[in-house]
Amino acid sequence: MEVYSFIDDFFSHDVSGNLKEPDLVRQVLAGLAPDSAMFYEITFHGAFAKRMFDVMRREGPNTIGFERMQQSFTESVQKVRTILEQMEAENLVKSEGLTSATPEARAKLSRFIEDLSLLKNWLTSRENR
């Protein structure tokens, strides 16, 4: 499947209306082939980080294994950040300050990760049909 038809396909579905950073998602997807390792990694780690965050928030810090969940969450966020840095270094995308340590950048990265999770869930639901 061609990259641009994949992007159009995703953005033509109602689920894309729930994106918090649609322009950023479109920009990042345009730089990646859907069958590339980088695409798999960024969507996998985005979805994993979102799941970990949701579980940590629901269960609270007194849950057995919370520290390990927090570590896994942090590692996945860092992997997403590293992929964005690599893409920026290869001139595939401008990170729009997503990789800096400012509160604004962290908030935008968090929204982007939620969007990656939405995309990964959409992809998984298509594959399971």
Side-chain angles (χ1 to χ4, degrees), residues 35-55:
D35 60 348
S36 70
M38 196 177 282
F39 179 85
Y40 174 82
E41 290 289 318
I42 199 167
T43 57
F44 172 83
H45 289 292
F48 185 79
K50 171 76 167 98
R51 266 186 242 119
M52 280 289 103
F53 181 77
D54 289 347
V55 170

Side-chain angles (χ1 to χ4, degrees), residues 44-123:
F44 172 83
H45 289 292
F48 185 79
K50 171 76 167 98
R51 266 186 242 119
M52 280 289 103
F53 181 77
D54 289 347
V55 170
M56 290 184 321
R57 186 176 56 196
R58 183 181 67 236
E59 300 298 324
N62 296 326
T63 302
I64 295 173
F66 184 83
E67 293 80 19
R68 179 64 184 127
M69 286 188 284
Q70 194 170 31
Q71 180 183 356
S72 295
F73 166 77
T74 302
E75 289 169 357
S76 284
V77 169
Q78 185 55 46
K79 287 180 182 181
V80 170
R81 185 179 281 129
T82 299
I83 292 167
L84 290 169
E85 289 170 346
Q86 181 181 351
M87 290 179 72
E88 187 168 38
E90 295 173 10
N91 294 316
L92 296 174
V93 69
K94 291 184 181 181
S95 69
E96 311 268 334
L98 283 172
T99 57
S100 71
T102 66
E104 296 82 15
R106 286 194 305 262
K108 190 170 187 175
L109 181 61
S110 177
R111 292 188 302 269
F112 178 66
I113 285 173
E114 286 185 52
D115 289 348
L116 290 174
S117 179
L118 186 70
L119 169 64
K120 186 66 170 178
N121 291 337
W122 177 79
L123 288 169

